[in-house]
């Protein structure tokens, strides 16, 4: 059984957040903001509904809630929402760059598009299951992979927590991460749920 002491932002991929906040705001103020963020994170995680899915819980614990908690701590400390979004954006970009580096390795492989196409449906099923996302497959052929997300855990949770504007930050990181597939595979998207579109459309085009 997980104890409260074992739940911390420092034990997620955002472990660098503590040092970054102190550098940005100073030892005293930064330390307080991080402690508040960590407290909010623990509270959010403990009351969150993983919908019986290990994949959903992993997203909540390691990707979704740490930036959300930091955002709420910033706004609670008096930071206006525009600046708070920018501070959070800078932190989440670090994890997006790591994913970009991993995808660059795939892009360097022969037949990278074919490899990506063969694994994408299984990857989506395992890592973005129906408990958190509603996925509509449009194409998955030799030329393009296209699917639409009509429901998204990130949009649901940020809205439920009173900060739907934060969801766009997570969406922006897709553009960063998937740019690692170039020049073999081009990623395009015309809209997102967070931006007011009817769905998030994902297009991976063989170049």
């Amino acid at each position: 059984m997980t104890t409260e002491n074992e739940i911390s932002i420092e034990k997620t991929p955002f472990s660098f957040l503590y040092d970054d906040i102190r550098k940005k705001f100073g030892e005293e103020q930064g330390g307080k903001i991080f402690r508040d963020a960590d407290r909010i994170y623990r509270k959010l995680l403990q009351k969150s509904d993983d919908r019986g899915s290990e994949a959903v819980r992993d997203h909540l614990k390691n990707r979704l809630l740490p930036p959300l908690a930091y955002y709420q701590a910033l706004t609670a400390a008096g930071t206006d929402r525009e600046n708070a979004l920018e501070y959070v954006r800078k932190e989440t970009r670090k994890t997006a760059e790591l994913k970009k580096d991993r995808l660059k390795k795939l892009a360097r492989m022969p037949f990278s598009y074919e490899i990506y196409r063969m694994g994408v449906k299984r990857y989506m099923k395992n890592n973005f299951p129906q408990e958190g996302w509603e996925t509509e497959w449009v194409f998955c052929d030799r030329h393009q992979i296209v699917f639409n997300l009509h429901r998204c855990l990130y949009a649901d949770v940020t809205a439920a927590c009173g900060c739907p504007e934060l969801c766009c930050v997570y969406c922006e990181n897709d553009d960063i991460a998937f740019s690692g597939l170039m020049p073999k595979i081009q990623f395009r998207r015309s809209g997102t749920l967070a931006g007011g579109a009817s769905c998030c459309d994902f297009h991976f085009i063989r170049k």
Side-chain angles (χ1 to χ4, degrees):
M1 182 175 180
T2 303
T3 65
E4 183 172 319
N5 290 335
E6 293 174 318
I7 301 173
S8 173
I9 292 175
E10 291 186 285
K11 296 184 179 182
T12 74
F14 289 88
S15 58
F16 52 79
L17 193 57
Y18 178 53
D19 288 336
D20 286 356
I21 293 176
R22 288 188 303 154
K23 289 176 183 177
K24 178 67 179 178
F25 297 98
E27 190 73 31
E28 183 176 349
Q29 185 185 6
K32 183 181 184 305
I33 291 174
F34 179 80
R35 289 192 297 273
D36 289 345
D38 210 40
R39 173 181 52 79
I40 293 168
Y41 169 72
R42 291 196 300 270
K43 183 177 179 180
L44 288 171
L45 185 60
Q46 288 172 344
K47 72 175 185 179
S48 63
D49 180 11
D50 62 17
R51 308 172 190 186
S53 167
E54 186 63 35
V56 168
R57 181 162 183 81
D58 181 67
H59 278 273
L60 291 167
K61 180 180 179 181
N62 293 311
R63 300 176 180 86
L64 203 168
L65 294 183
L68 196 158
Y70 178 36
Y71 181 71
Q72 290 191 340
L74 285 168
T75 55
T79 305
D80 65 82
R81 294 201 169 200
E82 184 177 348
N83 283 323
L85 282 174
E86 188 58 33
Y87 295 150
V88 175
R89 180 176 284 114
K90 288 179 180 178
E91 300 301 329
T92 59
R93 280 177 178 170
K94 292 186 177 183
T95 57
E97 290 288 348
L98 292 175
K99 183 175 180 180
K100 176 182 177 179
D101 290 340
R102 292 194 296 269
L103 290 177
K104 281 182 177 179
K105 295 179 182 179
L106 172 62
R108 288 195 291 266
M109 296 174 65
F111 310 109
S112 54
Y113 178 83
E114 288 79 1
I115 295 170
Y116 196 75
R117 180 169 70 92
M118 286 190 296
V120 66
K121 284 192 174 183
R122 179 183 297 177
Y123 180 84
M124 290 297 297
K125 181 180 179 181
N126 291 339
N127 295 279
F128 297 84
Q130 62 182 2
E131 288 83 0
W133 293 265
E134 181 184 335
T135 306
E136 173 200 10
W137 288 95
V138 182
F139 293 106
C140 191
D141 58 29
R142 293 177 57 193
H143 305 289
Q144 61 180 331
I145 300 163
V146 181
F147 60 88
N148 300 321
L149 296 182
H150 294 281
R151 181 171 54 87
C152 171
L153 178 73
Y154 288 73
D156 291 346
V157 172
T158 52
C161 290
C163 47
E165 69 278 3
L166 180 63
C167 193
C168 67
V169 172
Y170 300 104
C171 299
E172 291 166 7
N173 290 325
D174 288 339
D175 296 314
I176 296 172
F178 291 130
S179 68
L181 293 169
M182 288 291 286
K184 301 286 187 65
I185 305 169
Q186 182 179 19
F187 172 65
R188 294 180 185 171
R189 184 162 58 191
S190 62
T192 65
L193 292 168
S198 60
C199 67
C200 301
D201 58 325
F202 288 73
H203 297 246
F204 298 90
I205 301 166
R206 183 177 188 170
K207 300 296 290 182

